[in-house]
Amino acid sequence: MSSTNGTILEVKNLKQYFPIHAGFFQRVVANVKAVDGVSFSLQAGEVLGLVGESGCGKTTTGRSILRLYDPTDGEVWYHKTNGERVDVTKLSQEEMKPLRREMRMIFQDPFSSLNPRMTVRDLIGEPLVIHHVARGKELDERVGELMSSVGLNPSFMRRYPHEFSGGQRQRIGLARTLSLNPRLIVADEPVSALDVSVQAQVINLLQELQRDLGLTLLFIAHDLSVVEHICDRIAVMYVGKLVEVAESEELLRNPKHPYTEALVSAVPPADPDIQMQRIILEGDVPSPVNPPAGCVFHPRCRYAKDICKQEEPQLIEIKPGHHVSCHLAAELDLTGIVES
Ligand SMILES: Nc1ncnc2c1ncn2[C@@H]1O[C@H](COP(=O)(O)OP(=O)(O)O)[C@@H](O)[C@H]1O
Ligand SMILES: [Mg+2]
């Protein structure tokens, strides 16, 4: 577990809707409710996993927090080192500028996120130049240090991204992200485009850097097996909403939401002799344009009752630090990870 000291970010009822336009007058005919009332907080130095199927709103949540979008509604309070608290959703782009050094994103795809015409030196050094932190020889030195810190040989500084493997490119992206000494990083599925054989190396590196530098990390992934070892806490997302948030061990051993139970059942057990019954969810993920009434998960939930079709459950704390939004949380006896 990482050591924590105080809150760094509070997200309150965050909503990010994307309008759909149609017809001659391009009227707004509907909204994609990509993020629909998400609340959580991050402690300084902690790693929070954000997990859910493709399309559930994870990337949009990350981008809205960093103000790469203008959120439709809600608040995102960032706690600065001087103790001051600012709602980033209310800041102008000019006021955001200094915060962009402190809050940064690592992108999913190390192939398309690096400009192929820039050398590694320019890619890693660019944020330092933009923010007037270093130039010339000093820049070379800093880039060299950053390359070493992510396990790349600084003598490759003049090479281009295509000369590197996927894992190395993600290291370049990581060095670029770290160049301005950020406090908070949103890592958006940083290993899902990589070969399984290099995924663990990149995750281990990220974990080492997170610990050494005391970083706060929002780690986005589409399955639990990637995040279970690196995260202090895990938040499970489904169609724009958080359905469960708890400490990693607690969430894996003692899931309280039927959707989490299904995700947990897909995690390969550490002991290959253990037979896990994988829960296959029936049907498709509903559209965020027209989410189901009641509990968004009810059409695919094998435990659903009438109340689940009618009333929307709220995310409530059922025991210290364990939040779940399910009408049946108290009565269901769900299966977590089986210990050997
Ligand atoms: N810029 C956008 N305009 C319109 N719809 C979007 C946009 N970005 C994402 N979406 C939609 O919002 C939903 C959530 O997307 P996303 O946040 O990318 O999910 P995830 O990262 O969990 O796969 C999806 O239905 C997606 O199609
Ligand atoms: Mg995504």
Side-chain angles (χ1 to χ4, degrees):
M1 293 283 132
S2 326
S3 62
T4 55
N5 54 38
T7 305
I8 185 166
L9 195 81
E10 295 161 272
V11 178
K12 294 185 176 169
N13 202 25
L14 183 68
K15 294 184 182 171
Q16 187 75 58
Y17 295 177
F18 298 109
I20 301 172
H21 302 270
F24 182 74
F25 294 105
Q26 287 293 297
R27 288 206 181 90
V28 175
V29 291
N31 280 299
V32 180
K33 296 174 179 169
V35 177
D36 199 14
V38 161
S39 303
F40 65 89
S41 60
L42 276 172
Q43 300 300 303
E46 114 170 301
V47 184
L48 175 68
L50 182 61
V51 175
E53 279 159 292
S54 182
C56 71
K58 306 180 297 295
T59 296
T60 307
T61 302
R63 296 184 69 103
S64 306
I65 289 169
L66 301 190
R67 215 21 221 295
L68 300 172
Y69 293 136
D70 285 331
T72 309
D73 198 11
E75 297 161 23
V76 177
W77 291 95
Y78 177 69
H79 296 235
K80 299 205 257 184
T81 37
N82 66 6
E84 204 187 317
R85 215 173 70 122
V86 285
D87 180 358
V88 302
T89 67
K90 306 291 185 301
L91 301 181
S92 66
Q93 286 302 333
E94 195 56 33
E95 290 167 321
M96 268 310 287
K97 249 189 199 158
L99 295 188
R100 296 222 176 278
R101 291 179 61 163
E102 303 183 14
M103 313 165 82
R104 301 196 72 83
M105 191 136 178
I106 302 176
F107 296 95
Q108 180 167 359
D109 185 355
F111 298 90
S112 63
S113 57
L114 300 177
N115 183 339
R117 282 180 286 277
M118 285 168 76
T119 62
V120 172
R121 173 188 179 274
D122 292 342
L123 283 165
I124 298 174
E126 187 180 51
L128 296 165
V129 174
I130 292 176
H131 288 273
H132 311 289
V133 176
R135 55 189 188 142
K137 200 168 168 335
E138 204 189 332
L139 184 67
D140 283 355
E141 272 167 29
R142 180 77 182 122
V143 169
E145 277 169 25
L146 285 160
M147 288 181 76
S148 304
S149 74
V150 296
L152 290 170
N153 187 336
S155 66
F156 295 160
M157 205 180 278
R158 308 279 162 191
R159 297 194 182 184
Y160 291 88
H162 72 262
E163 299 176 65
F164 295 86
S165 68
Q168 288 170 325
R169 278 187 238 198
Q170 199 50 296
R171 289 172 194 260
I172 297 169
L174 195 51
R176 183 177 153 93
T177 305
L178 294 174
S179 63
L180 293 165
N181 299 321
R183 294 173 70 212
L184 171 66
I185 292 181
V186 174
D188 189 6
E189 303 204 31
V191 298
S192 60
L194 304 177
D195 288 341
V196 176
S197 57
V198 292
Q199 287 189 353
Q201 293 169 21
V202 175
I203 291 180
N204 288 342
L205 171 66
L206 198 55
Q207 187 163 32
E208 249 170 56
L209 290 165
Q210 183 271 329
R211 284 186 184 148
D212 292 352
L213 305 172
L215 297 168
T216 309
L217 200 57
L218 181 65
F219 192 107
I220 298 175
H222 60 256
D223 66 54
L224 282 169
S225 54
V226 172
V227 297
E228 62 169 332
H229 299 297
I230 185 174
C231 296
D232 300 304
R233 284 189 304 140
I234 297 175
V236 177
M237 193 164 186
Y238 189 77
V239 198
K241 296 177 195 292
L242 294 187
V243 296
E244 187 159 7
V245 185
E247 286 192 1
S248 304
E249 282 233 340
E250 165 73 5
L251 187 109
L252 287 154
R253 289 185 193 204
N254 202 6
K256 287 289 177 196
H257 195 286
Y259 180 59
T260 312
E261 181 188 41
L263 293 182
V264 171
S265 81
V267 176
D271 178 351
D273 290 336
I274 294 177
Q275 288 286 319
M276 283 283 287
Q277 189 72 39
R278 181 156 180 187
I279 302 168
I280 307 288
L281 293 174
E282 307 275 334
D284 293 323
V285 181
S287 155
V289 178
N290 248 324
C295 168
V296 281
F297 186 60
H298 89 256
R300 301 173 82 194
C301 182
R302 50 189 187 156
Y303 309 105
K305 294 187 173 170
D306 279 343
I307 184 176
C308 308
K309 299 173 191 160
Q310 290 145 12
E311 264 178 56
E312 187 185 334
Q314 302 301 312
L315 191 69
I316 51 169
E317 190 166 18
I318 51 159
K319 54 178 153 167
H322 194 150
H323 299 76
V324 61
S325 85
C326 172
H327 292 303
L328 312 176
E331 59 187 84
L332 295 177
D333 183 19
L334 305 180
T335 309
I337 250 176
V338 184
E339 296 300 314
S340 47

